[in-house]
Structures are given as C-alpha cells and as structure tokens.
Amino acid sequence: MKINFLPMKSHLVILILSFLFSNNIGDFEKAELLFKQAKYDQAKLAFESYLKDNANHLKTLEYLGDIEGIYKSWDKAMFYYGKLIKLKPGEADYHYKFGGCLGMKAKESNKFKALGMIDDIKASFEKAIALDPNHIEARWALIELYLQLPGIVGGSEKKAQRYAAELLKISPVDGYLAQGRIAEYFDRNKEAEKFYLKAIAIGGSKTTYQKLANLYKNKMNQPEKAKALLETYKEKK
C-alpha cells in the first residue's frame, strides 16, 4: 500500500491555519487577522460583534475607526475616535486620527463649512503634539494644513517652517523632507532638490528617492534624471 506524505511545509501551513481558526485564538485576534489581511468588510463585522460584549475595548474601537477611515466614512470614523478620546484622553494618536478625519471631512465640504472646522483640526493636531512631543505625523499634518490654507484664514509658510524645524530635531530625514515639501509647494525647485538630496544622504529610503524623482519628473521637466535616480536606488537595494 502506497502512503502519500504531505511535504513538511504543507504540514506547517495546516498547523498554523488550524491554530488560527481553532478555539485557541480569540474573537478579537480573528478580527485583527482579517484586518491585517485587508479583508475590511469581514473585519468590520467581526469587530462589531466583539464590541457588543466589550463596549470599551480600546483597540477594537480604534480598528473600527481605521476601517471607517479607509472607507472615507469620516463621521463614523470620528465617532469611534471621539469615543477613544473620552475613554483615554491622554493618548496622542487618538487626537491625531480624529483631527485627520475632521480635516478630510473639511476638504470634502463646502468652503463655508470647512472654515468652521479649521480651529478644531488645529487643536486636535496640537493636542497630539502636546501629549507626545515627538509625534511626527501630527507635525506633518500641520505643515500641510498651513501650506494649503489661504493666508486670510491662517495659512502661513512661516508656521509650516516652524514645524519642519521641529521635525528636523526629532527626525532629520522627516525634517529635510518637510523643508523640501515646503520649497516645492512654492515652486522653489532648486531649493527643494537640495533638501531632498540631504534626506537621501541621511535616510536613503525609497520615500526619499521617490520624492526627488517626482520633483525631477513633475516640476523640473527632467524625466530621464528621475528615471536614473530610481535606477540608482534599485541598484543599491
């Protein structure tokens, strides 16, 4: 009688799957796994089911807020982040995410309504920084806010530069990228190039190369230079 044995890797996969979907893994972990697999519809249902018996479970609320953000359902996302802020007001990321959703809602609203949201957007990001002095994302958000707001309602390159300077102290790569972003926004392309080159020299990440390549291609009309730069990155990796 011939016996067929599964390869060892197949046995391992079966063991992992049986573990994940057996009673050894909880409902929250199953929902989290679905989220990490980008199965957001299924993850949402699983998290909502878990929340019925665990109404104040912070991570579940955050995941649900994140899913609604992915769906661009800003009001629903803010509902979850707002609840998180009430449950744990000292968590910087909750304020940052709430402010981000409010900002996206403002962007999609009419100008009159959006103007009424600006102070709350700023306050959310500033609160995140107050709670976590090294919060990088909140500073990036404020830089974009001050760049894109008209001067008459608070837009200011000077304020954007202030947060870029703070980033430079916390994370030099982010600092130079931010200074490059500001220079590029105002079409000071040679200045932006200088900052992006500094970011590449320090960080050397795909993001740093991509920022400079985009500048060459989209702003400086040098597509071949952009292509050569990305080829240099690929060769290094």
PDB file of all heavy atoms in Angstrom, residues 9-44:
ATOM      1  N   LYS A   9       6.394  21.632   4.569  1.00  0.00           N
ATOM      2  CA  LYS A   9       5.841  22.986   4.542  1.00  0.00           C
ATOM      3  C   LYS A   9       4.324  22.951   4.563  1.00  0.00           C
ATOM      4  O   LYS A   9       3.678  23.789   5.183  1.00  0.00           O
ATOM      5  CB  LYS A   9       6.341  23.736   3.305  1.00  0.00           C
ATOM      6  CG  LYS A   9       7.791  24.177   3.386  1.00  0.00           C
ATOM      7  CD  LYS A   9       8.171  25.018   2.187  1.00  0.00           C
ATOM      8  CE  LYS A   9       9.619  25.504   2.298  1.00  0.00           C
ATOM      9  NZ  LYS A   9      10.025  26.305   1.124  1.00  0.00           N
ATOM     10  N   SER A  10       3.728  21.988   3.867  1.00  0.00           N
ATOM     11  CA  SER A  10       2.269  21.870   3.850  1.00  0.00           C
ATOM     12  C   SER A  10       1.733  21.540   5.234  1.00  0.00           C
ATOM     13  O   SER A  10       0.714  22.064   5.674  1.00  0.00           O
ATOM     14  CB  SER A  10       1.837  20.794   2.860  1.00  0.00           C
ATOM     15  OG  SER A  10       2.234  21.132   1.552  1.00  0.00           O
ATOM     16  N   HIS A  11       2.444  20.630   5.935  1.00  0.00           N
ATOM     17  CA  HIS A  11       2.056  20.313   7.315  1.00  0.00           C
ATOM     18  C   HIS A  11       2.081  21.565   8.183  1.00  0.00           C
ATOM     19  O   HIS A  11       1.197  21.784   9.007  1.00  0.00           O
ATOM     20  CB  HIS A  11       3.012  19.266   7.897  1.00  0.00           C
ATOM     21  CG  HIS A  11       2.695  17.867   7.473  1.00  0.00           C
ATOM     22  ND1 HIS A  11       1.507  17.241   7.783  1.00  0.00           N
ATOM     23  CD2 HIS A  11       3.427  16.973   6.758  1.00  0.00           C
ATOM     24  CE1 HIS A  11       1.502  16.019   7.283  1.00  0.00           C
ATOM     25  NE2 HIS A  11       2.651  15.825   6.639  1.00  0.00           N
ATOM     26  N   LEU A  12       3.114  22.384   7.990  1.00  0.00           N
ATOM     27  CA  LEU A  12       3.269  23.594   8.800  1.00  0.00           C
ATOM     28  C   LEU A  12       2.125  24.563   8.544  1.00  0.00           C
ATOM     29  O   LEU A  12       1.562  25.135   9.482  1.00  0.00           O
ATOM     30  CB  LEU A  12       4.606  24.262   8.478  1.00  0.00           C
ATOM     31  CG  LEU A  12       4.966  25.505   9.308  1.00  0.00           C
ATOM     32  CD1 LEU A  12       5.026  25.155  10.793  1.00  0.00           C
ATOM     33  CD2 LEU A  12       6.284  26.089   8.844  1.00  0.00           C
ATOM     34  N   VAL A  13       1.768  24.750   7.287  1.00  0.00           N
ATOM     35  CA  VAL A  13       0.665  25.644   6.935  1.00  0.00           C
ATOM     36  C   VAL A  13      -0.636  25.169   7.570  1.00  0.00           C
ATOM     37  O   VAL A  13      -1.402  25.948   8.137  1.00  0.00           O
ATOM     38  CB  VAL A  13       0.508  25.739   5.399  1.00  0.00           C
ATOM     39  CG1 VAL A  13      -0.788  26.467   5.038  1.00  0.00           C
ATOM     40  CG2 VAL A  13       1.703  26.448   4.799  1.00  0.00           C
ATOM     41  N   ILE A  14      -0.887  23.858   7.496  1.00  0.00           N
ATOM     42  CA  ILE A  14      -2.111  23.300   8.073  1.00  0.00           C
ATOM     43  C   ILE A  14      -2.149  23.514   9.582  1.00  0.00           C
ATOM     44  O   ILE A  14      -3.178  23.869  10.158  1.00  0.00           O
ATOM     45  CB  ILE A  14      -2.230  21.798   7.730  1.00  0.00           C
ATOM     46  CG1 ILE A  14      -2.509  21.625   6.230  1.00  0.00           C
ATOM     47  CG2 ILE A  14      -3.337  21.135   8.548  1.00  0.00           C
ATOM     48  CD1 ILE A  14      -2.412  20.200   5.755  1.00  0.00           C
ATOM     49  N   LEU A  15      -1.006  23.317  10.229  1.00  0.00           N
ATOM     50  CA  LEU A  15      -0.944  23.513  11.681  1.00  0.00           C
ATOM     51  C   LEU A  15      -1.236  24.956  12.058  1.00  0.00           C
ATOM     52  O   LEU A  15      -1.966  25.234  13.018  1.00  0.00           O
ATOM     53  CB  LEU A  15       0.442  23.102  12.197  1.00  0.00           C
ATOM     54  CG  LEU A  15       0.705  21.598  12.304  1.00  0.00           C
ATOM     55  CD1 LEU A  15       2.172  21.340  12.608  1.00  0.00           C
ATOM     56  CD2 LEU A  15      -0.178  20.976  13.379  1.00  0.00           C
ATOM     57  N   ILE A  16      -0.662  25.887  11.283  1.00  0.00           N
ATOM     58  CA  ILE A  16      -0.871  27.314  11.570  1.00  0.00           C
ATOM     59  C   ILE A  16      -2.331  27.679  11.382  1.00  0.00           C
ATOM     60  O   ILE A  16      -2.942  28.346  12.224  1.00  0.00           O
ATOM     61  CB  ILE A  16       0.029  28.184  10.672  1.00  0.00           C
ATOM     62  CG1 ILE A  16       1.502  27.999  11.068  1.00  0.00           C
ATOM     63  CG2 ILE A  16      -0.360  29.649  10.774  1.00  0.00           C
ATOM     64  CD1 ILE A  16       2.483  28.652  10.111  1.00  0.00           C
ATOM     65  N   LEU A  17      -2.907  27.238  10.269  1.00  0.00           N
ATOM     66  CA  LEU A  17      -4.303  27.563   9.992  1.00  0.00           C
ATOM     67  C   LEU A  17      -5.237  26.953  11.025  1.00  0.00           C
ATOM     68  O   LEU A  17      -6.197  27.593  11.473  1.00  0.00           O
ATOM     69  CB  LEU A  17      -4.678  27.080   8.582  1.00  0.00           C
ATOM     70  CG  LEU A  17      -4.060  27.853   7.421  1.00  0.00           C
ATOM     71  CD1 LEU A  17      -4.421  27.194   6.099  1.00  0.00           C
ATOM     72  CD2 LEU A  17      -4.533  29.305   7.423  1.00  0.00           C
ATOM     73  N   SER A  18      -4.955  25.720  11.400  1.00  0.00           N
ATOM     74  CA  SER A  18      -5.815  25.077  12.397  1.00  0.00           C
ATOM     75  C   SER A  18      -5.720  25.786  13.741  1.00  0.00           C
ATOM     76  O   SER A  18      -6.692  25.876  14.479  1.00  0.00           O
ATOM     77  CB  SER A  18      -5.433  23.599  12.557  1.00  0.00           C
ATOM     78  OG  SER A  18      -4.114  23.475  13.062  1.00  0.00           O
ATOM     79  N   PHE A  19      -4.535  26.320  14.033  1.00  0.00           N
ATOM     80  CA  PHE A  19      -4.366  27.073  15.281  1.00  0.00           C
ATOM     81  C   PHE A  19      -5.149  28.379  15.233  1.00  0.00           C
ATOM     82  O   PHE A  19      -5.865  28.734  16.159  1.00  0.00           O
ATOM     83  CB  PHE A  19      -2.884  27.368  15.529  1.00  0.00           C
ATOM     84  CG  PHE A  19      -2.652  28.339  16.649  1.00  0.00           C
ATOM     85  CD1 PHE A  19      -2.782  27.948  17.975  1.00  0.00           C
ATOM     86  CD2 PHE A  19      -2.325  29.651  16.385  1.00  0.00           C
ATOM     87  CE1 PHE A  19      -2.590  28.855  19.010  1.00  0.00           C
ATOM     88  CE2 PHE A  19      -2.120  30.561  17.405  1.00  0.00           C
ATOM     89  CZ  PHE A  19      -2.259  30.153  18.724  1.00  0.00           C
ATOM     90  N   LEU A  20      -5.018  29.080  14.092  1.00  0.00           N
ATOM     91  CA  LEU A  20      -5.647  30.388  13.988  1.00  0.00           C
ATOM     92  C   LEU A  20      -7.164  30.312  14.080  1.00  0.00           C
ATOM     93  O   LEU A  20      -7.809  31.191  14.638  1.00  0.00           O
ATOM     94  CB  LEU A  20      -5.246  31.060  12.668  1.00  0.00           C
ATOM     95  CG  LEU A  20      -3.799  31.539  12.564  1.00  0.00           C
ATOM     96  CD1 LEU A  20      -3.521  32.093  11.162  1.00  0.00           C
ATOM     97  CD2 LEU A  20      -3.494  32.611  13.608  1.00  0.00           C
ATOM     98  N   PHE A  21      -7.732  29.259  13.523  1.00  0.00           N
ATOM     99  CA  PHE A  21      -9.181  29.186  13.451  1.00  0.00           C
ATOM    100  C   PHE A  21      -9.784  28.161  14.410  1.00  0.00           C
ATOM    101  O   PHE A  21     -10.923  27.762  14.296  1.00  0.00           O
ATOM    102  CB  PHE A  21      -9.606  28.908  12.009  1.00  0.00           C
ATOM    103  CG  PHE A  21      -9.266  30.051  11.103  1.00  0.00           C
ATOM    104  CD1 PHE A  21      -8.140  29.991  10.294  1.00  0.00           C
ATOM    105  CD2 PHE A  21     -10.032  31.202  11.109  1.00  0.00           C
ATOM    106  CE1 PHE A  21      -7.803  31.064   9.479  1.00  0.00           C
ATOM    107  CE2 PHE A  21      -9.697  32.280  10.300  1.00  0.00           C
ATOM    108  CZ  PHE A  21      -8.589  32.209   9.480  1.00  0.00           C
ATOM    109  N   SER A  22      -8.983  27.755  15.369  1.00  0.00           N
ATOM    110  CA  SER A  22      -9.500  26.889  16.433  1.00  0.00           C
ATOM    111  C   SER A  22      -9.907  27.751  17.615  1.00  0.00           C
ATOM    112  O   SER A  22      -9.792  28.965  17.586  1.00  0.00           O
ATOM    113  CB  SER A  22      -8.408  25.897  16.867  1.00  0.00           C
ATOM    114  OG  SER A  22      -7.377  26.597  17.545  1.00  0.00           O
ATOM    115  N   ASN A  23     -10.346  27.117  18.654  1.00  0.00           N
ATOM    116  CA  ASN A  23     -10.751  27.867  19.845  1.00  0.00           C
ATOM    117  C   ASN A  23      -9.570  28.472  20.587  1.00  0.00           C
ATOM    118  O   ASN A  23      -9.750  29.193  21.555  1.00  0.00           O
ATOM    119  CB  ASN A  23     -11.533  26.946  20.788  1.00  0.00           C
ATOM    120  CG  ASN A  23     -12.882  26.574  20.208  1.00  0.00           C
ATOM    121  OD1 ASN A  23     -13.471  27.353  19.471  1.00  0.00           O
ATOM    122  ND2 ASN A  23     -13.356  25.377  20.539  1.00  0.00           N
ATOM    123  N   ASN A  24      -8.345  28.156  20.126  1.00  0.00           N
ATOM    124  CA  ASN A  24      -7.166  28.694  20.802  1.00  0.00           C
ATOM    125  C   ASN A  24      -6.953  30.172  20.507  1.00  0.00           C
ATOM    126  O   ASN A  24      -6.160  30.829  21.154  1.00  0.00           O
ATOM    127  CB  ASN A  24      -5.913  27.912  20.374  1.00  0.00           C
ATOM    128  CG  ASN A  24      -5.926  26.495  20.902  1.00  0.00           C
ATOM    129  OD1 ASN A  24      -6.445  26.249  21.987  1.00  0.00           O
ATOM    130  ND2 ASN A  24      -5.372  25.564  20.142  1.00  0.00           N
ATOM    131  N   ILE A  25      -7.612  30.692  19.484  1.00  0.00           N
ATOM    132  CA  ILE A  25      -7.476  32.099  19.155  1.00  0.00           C
ATOM    133  C   ILE A  25      -8.806  32.781  19.399  1.00  0.00           C
ATOM    134  O   ILE A  25      -9.863  32.268  19.026  1.00  0.00           O
ATOM    135  CB  ILE A  25      -7.001  32.285  17.695  1.00  0.00           C
ATOM    136  CG1 ILE A  25      -6.830  33.773  17.369  1.00  0.00           C
ATOM    137  CG2 ILE A  25      -7.926  31.632  16.709  1.00  0.00           C
ATOM    138  CD1 ILE A  25      -6.145  34.016  16.035  1.00  0.00           C
ATOM    139  N   GLY A  26      -8.753  33.927  20.038  1.00  0.00           N
ATOM    140  CA  GLY A  26      -9.980  34.606  20.427  1.00  0.00           C
ATOM    141  C   GLY A  26     -10.643  35.335  19.280  1.00  0.00           C
ATOM    142  O   GLY A  26     -10.070  35.500  18.195  1.00  0.00           O
ATOM    143  N   ASP A  27     -11.856  35.807  19.541  1.00  0.00           N
ATOM    144  CA  ASP A  27     -12.619  36.523  18.520  1.00  0.00           C
ATOM    145  C   ASP A  27     -11.913  37.805  18.092  1.00  0.00           C
ATOM    146  O   ASP A  27     -11.940  38.162  16.916  1.00  0.00           O
ATOM    147  CB  ASP A  27     -14.013  36.855  19.053  1.00  0.00           C
ATOM    148  CG  ASP A  27     -14.851  35.599  19.241  1.00  0.00           C
ATOM    149  OD1 ASP A  27     -14.558  34.592  18.567  1.00  0.00           O
ATOM    150  OD2 ASP A  27     -15.781  35.627  20.066  1.00  0.00           O
ATOM    151  N   PHE A  28     -11.303  38.496  19.051  1.00  0.00           N
ATOM    152  CA  PHE A  28     -10.593  39.727  18.701  1.00  0.00           C
ATOM    153  C   PHE A  28      -9.415  39.432  17.779  1.00  0.00           C
ATOM    154  O   PHE A  28      -9.194  40.132  16.790  1.00  0.00           O
ATOM    155  CB  PHE A  28     -10.092  40.447  19.956  1.00  0.00           C
ATOM    156  CG  PHE A  28      -9.184  41.609  19.638  1.00  0.00           C
ATOM    157  CD1 PHE A  28      -9.707  42.827  19.234  1.00  0.00           C
ATOM    158  CD2 PHE A  28      -7.801  41.468  19.711  1.00  0.00           C
ATOM    159  CE1 PHE A  28      -8.873  43.892  18.914  1.00  0.00           C
ATOM    160  CE2 PHE A  28      -6.961  42.523  19.389  1.00  0.00           C
ATOM    161  CZ  PHE A  28      -7.503  43.735  18.998  1.00  0.00           C
ATOM    162  N   GLU A  29      -8.657  38.395  18.104  1.00  0.00           N
ATOM    163  CA  GLU A  29      -7.489  38.054  17.293  1.00  0.00           C
ATOM    164  C   GLU A  29      -7.893  37.654  15.877  1.00  0.00           C
ATOM    165  O   GLU A  29      -7.196  37.967  14.904  1.00  0.00           O
ATOM    166  CB  GLU A  29      -6.693  36.922  17.949  1.00  0.00           C
ATOM    167  CG  GLU A  29      -5.902  37.343  19.181  1.00  0.00           C
ATOM    168  CD  GLU A  29      -6.775  37.524  20.424  1.00  0.00           C
ATOM    169  OE1 GLU A  29      -7.948  37.078  20.398  1.00  0.00           O
ATOM    170  OE2 GLU A  29      -6.283  38.115  21.403  1.00  0.00           O
ATOM    171  N   LYS A  30      -9.026  36.957  15.749  1.00  0.00           N
ATOM    172  CA  LYS A  30      -9.520  36.596  14.423  1.00  0.00           C
ATOM    173  C   LYS A  30      -9.869  37.848  13.622  1.00  0.00           C
ATOM    174  O   LYS A  30      -9.555  37.956  12.434  1.00  0.00           O
ATOM    175  CB  LYS A  30     -10.744  35.682  14.538  1.00  0.00           C
ATOM    176  CG  LYS A  30     -10.433  34.286  15.054  1.00  0.00           C
ATOM    177  CD  LYS A  30     -11.710  33.467  15.204  1.00  0.00           C
ATOM    178  CE  LYS A  30     -11.413  32.098  15.817  1.00  0.00           C
ATOM    179  NZ  LYS A  30     -12.646  31.305  16.032  1.00  0.00           N
ATOM    180  N   ALA A  31     -10.533  38.806  14.291  1.00  0.00           N
ATOM    181  CA  ALA A  31     -10.901  40.058  13.626  1.00  0.00           C
ATOM    182  C   ALA A  31      -9.645  40.833  13.223  1.00  0.00           C
ATOM    183  O   ALA A  31      -9.566  41.396  12.118  1.00  0.00           O
ATOM    184  CB  ALA A  31     -11.771  40.906  14.555  1.00  0.00           C
ATOM    185  N   GLU A  32      -8.669  40.846  14.112  1.00  0.00           N
ATOM    186  CA  GLU A  32      -7.420  41.555  13.837  1.00  0.00           C
ATOM    187  C   GLU A  32      -6.693  40.934  12.643  1.00  0.00           C
ATOM    188  O   GLU A  32      -6.126  41.650  11.802  1.00  0.00           O
ATOM    189  CB  GLU A  32      -6.530  41.539  15.076  1.00  0.00           C
ATOM    190  CG  GLU A  32      -5.284  42.398  14.963  1.00  0.00           C
ATOM    191  CD  GLU A  32      -4.517  42.439  16.261  1.00  0.00           C
ATOM    192  OE1 GLU A  32      -4.313  41.367  16.876  1.00  0.00           O
ATOM    193  OE2 GLU A  32      -4.113  43.539  16.684  1.00  0.00           O
ATOM    194  N   LEU A  33      -6.712  39.615  12.572  1.00  0.00           N
ATOM    195  CA  LEU A  33      -6.081  38.918  11.452  1.00  0.00           C
ATOM    196  C   LEU A  33      -6.760  39.294  10.135  1.00  0.00           C
ATOM    197  O   LEU A  33      -6.090  39.540   9.132  1.00  0.00           O
ATOM    198  CB  LEU A  33      -6.148  37.413  11.666  1.00  0.00           C
ATOM    199  CG  LEU A  33      -5.526  36.543  10.566  1.00  0.00           C
ATOM    200  CD1 LEU A  33      -4.031  36.806  10.460  1.00  0.00           C
ATOM    201  CD2 LEU A  33      -5.777  35.066  10.841  1.00  0.00           C
ATOM    202  N   LEU A  34      -8.080  39.370  10.139  1.00  0.00           N
ATOM    203  CA  LEU A  34      -8.813  39.769   8.937  1.00  0.00           C
ATOM    204  C   LEU A  34      -8.434  41.188   8.521  1.00  0.00           C
ATOM    205  O   LEU A  34      -8.274  41.476   7.323  1.00  0.00           O
ATOM    206  CB  LEU A  34     -10.320  39.686   9.187  1.00  0.00           C
ATOM    207  CG  LEU A  34     -10.899  38.278   9.316  1.00  0.00           C
ATOM    208  CD1 LEU A  34     -12.322  38.337   9.873  1.00  0.00           C
ATOM    209  CD2 LEU A  34     -10.886  37.562   7.971  1.00  0.00           C
ATOM    210  N   PHE A  35      -8.274  42.067   9.489  1.00  0.00           N
ATOM    211  CA  PHE A  35      -7.868  43.445   9.188  1.00  0.00           C
ATOM    212  C   PHE A  35      -6.487  43.473   8.543  1.00  0.00           C
ATOM    213  O   PHE A  35      -6.264  44.165   7.544  1.00  0.00           O
ATOM    214  CB  PHE A  35      -7.865  44.284  10.472  1.00  0.00           C
ATOM    215  CG  PHE A  35      -7.457  45.719  10.248  1.00  0.00           C
ATOM    216  CD1 PHE A  35      -8.410  46.675   9.937  1.00  0.00           C
ATOM    217  CD2 PHE A  35      -6.125  46.106  10.346  1.00  0.00           C
ATOM    218  CE1 PHE A  35      -8.037  48.005   9.722  1.00  0.00           C
ATOM    219  CE2 PHE A  35      -5.749  47.418  10.134  1.00  0.00           C
ATOM    220  CZ  PHE A  35      -6.706  48.374   9.825  1.00  0.00           C
ATOM    221  N   LYS A  36      -5.559  42.725   9.110  1.00  0.00           N
ATOM    222  CA  LYS A  36      -4.191  42.704   8.579  1.00  0.00           C
ATOM    223  C   LYS A  36      -4.123  42.078   7.192  1.00  0.00           C
ATOM    224  O   LYS A  36      -3.194  42.351   6.432  1.00  0.00           O
ATOM    225  CB  LYS A  36      -3.274  41.971   9.552  1.00  0.00           C
ATOM    226  CG  LYS A  36      -3.042  42.752  10.844  1.00  0.00           C
ATOM    227  CD  LYS A  36      -2.186  41.996  11.837  1.00  0.00           C
ATOM    228  CE  LYS A  36      -1.964  42.826  13.104  1.00  0.00           C
ATOM    229  NZ  LYS A  36      -1.169  42.092  14.123  1.00  0.00           N
ATOM    230  N   GLN A  37      -5.112  41.260   6.870  1.00  0.00           N
ATOM    231  CA  GLN A  37      -5.205  40.674   5.531  1.00  0.00           C
ATOM    232  C   GLN A  37      -5.976  41.579   4.568  1.00  0.00           C
ATOM    233  O   GLN A  37      -6.223  41.201   3.429  1.00  0.00           O
ATOM    234  CB  GLN A  37      -5.893  39.305   5.607  1.00  0.00           C
ATOM    235  CG  GLN A  37      -5.079  38.256   6.337  1.00  0.00           C
ATOM    236  CD  GLN A  37      -5.859  36.955   6.538  1.00  0.00           C
ATOM    237  OE1 GLN A  37      -7.089  36.949   6.564  1.00  0.00           O
ATOM    238  NE2 GLN A  37      -5.139  35.859   6.679  1.00  0.00           N
ATOM    239  N   ALA A  38      -6.332  42.780   5.054  1.00  0.00           N
ATOM    240  CA  ALA A  38      -7.080  43.773   4.257  1.00  0.00           C
ATOM    241  C   ALA A  38      -8.474  43.283   3.863  1.00  0.00           C
ATOM    242  O   ALA A  38      -9.057  43.746   2.893  1.00  0.00           O
ATOM    243  CB  ALA A  38      -6.296  44.175   3.006  1.00  0.00           C
ATOM    244  N   LYS A  39      -9.034  42.368   4.670  1.00  0.00           N
ATOM    245  CA  LYS A  39     -10.408  41.905   4.463  1.00  0.00           C
ATOM    246  C   LYS A  39     -11.310  42.761   5.354  1.00  0.00           C
ATOM    247  O   LYS A  39     -11.845  42.313   6.365  1.00  0.00           O
ATOM    248  CB  LYS A  39     -10.526  40.424   4.803  1.00  0.00           C
ATOM    249  CG  LYS A  39      -9.684  39.534   3.881  1.00  0.00           C
ATOM    250  CD  LYS A  39      -9.769  38.063   4.293  1.00  0.00           C
ATOM    251  CE  LYS A  39      -8.929  37.191   3.374  1.00  0.00           C
ATOM    252  NZ  LYS A  39      -8.946  35.751   3.772  1.00  0.00           N
ATOM    253  N   TYR A  40     -11.468  44.023   4.952  1.00  0.00           N
ATOM    254  CA  TYR A  40     -12.060  45.014   5.846  1.00  0.00           C
ATOM    255  C   TYR A  40     -13.544  44.789   6.112  1.00  0.00           C
ATOM    256  O   TYR A  40     -14.016  45.052   7.222  1.00  0.00           O
ATOM    257  CB  TYR A  40     -11.806  46.420   5.282  1.00  0.00           C
ATOM    258  CG  TYR A  40     -10.346  46.741   5.129  1.00  0.00           C
ATOM    259  CD1 TYR A  40      -9.819  47.102   3.895  1.00  0.00           C
ATOM    260  CD2 TYR A  40      -9.484  46.649   6.224  1.00  0.00           C
ATOM    261  CE1 TYR A  40      -8.465  47.381   3.752  1.00  0.00           C
ATOM    262  CE2 TYR A  40      -8.134  46.925   6.092  1.00  0.00           C
ATOM    263  CZ  TYR A  40      -7.627  47.292   4.854  1.00  0.00           C
ATOM    264  OH  TYR A  40      -6.293  47.554   4.714  1.00  0.00           O
ATOM    265  N   ASP A  41     -14.284  44.325   5.120  1.00  0.00           N
ATOM    266  CA  ASP A  41     -15.713  44.059   5.348  1.00  0.00           C
ATOM    267  C   ASP A  41     -15.906  42.998   6.427  1.00  0.00           C
ATOM    268  O   ASP A  41     -16.719  43.154   7.340  1.00  0.00           O
ATOM    269  CB  ASP A  41     -16.374  43.600   4.049  1.00  0.00           C
ATOM    270  CG  ASP A  41     -16.549  44.732   3.049  1.00  0.00           C
ATOM    271  OD1 ASP A  41     -16.468  45.895   3.472  1.00  0.00           O
ATOM    272  OD2 ASP A  41     -16.766  44.454   1.866  1.00  0.00           O
ATOM    273  N   GLN A  42     -15.136  41.918   6.302  1.00  0.00           N
ATOM    274  CA  GLN A  42     -15.243  40.836   7.281  1.00  0.00           C
ATOM    275  C   GLN A  42     -14.716  41.282   8.646  1.00  0.00           C
ATOM    276  O   GLN A  42     -15.282  40.945   9.689  1.00  0.00           O
ATOM    277  CB  GLN A  42     -14.457  39.620   6.791  1.00  0.00           C
ATOM    278  CG  GLN A  42     -15.007  39.002   5.514  1.00  0.00           C
ATOM    279  CD  GLN A  42     -14.137  37.876   5.006  1.00  0.00           C
ATOM    280  OE1 GLN A  42     -13.818  36.946   5.750  1.00  0.00           O
ATOM    281  NE2 GLN A  42     -13.728  37.944   3.749  1.00  0.00           N
ATOM    282  N   ALA A  43     -13.627  42.033   8.628  1.00  0.00           N
ATOM    283  CA  ALA A  43     -13.043  42.520   9.885  1.00  0.00           C
ATOM    284  C   ALA A  43     -14.016  43.435  10.615  1.00  0.00           C
ATOM    285  O   ALA A  43     -14.177  43.348  11.839  1.00  0.00           O
ATOM    286  CB  ALA A  43     -11.736  43.255   9.601  1.00  0.00           C
ATOM    287  N   LYS A  44     -14.689  44.290   9.862  1.00  0.00           N
ATOM    288  CA  LYS A  44     -15.653  45.206  10.475  1.00  0.00           C
ATOM    289  C   LYS A  44     -16.759  44.445  11.193  1.00  0.00           C
ATOM    290  O   LYS A  44     -17.094  44.752  12.348  1.00  0.00           O
ATOM    291  CB  LYS A  44     -16.245  46.126   9.405  1.00  0.00           C
ATOM    292  CG  LYS A  44     -17.278  47.111   9.949  1.00  0.00           C
ATOM    293  CD  LYS A  44     -17.844  47.983   8.839  1.00  0.00           C
ATOM    294  CE  LYS A  44     -18.933  48.899   9.380  1.00  0.00           C
ATOM    295  NZ  LYS A  44     -19.516  49.760   8.337  1.00  0.00           N
TER     296      LYS A  44
END
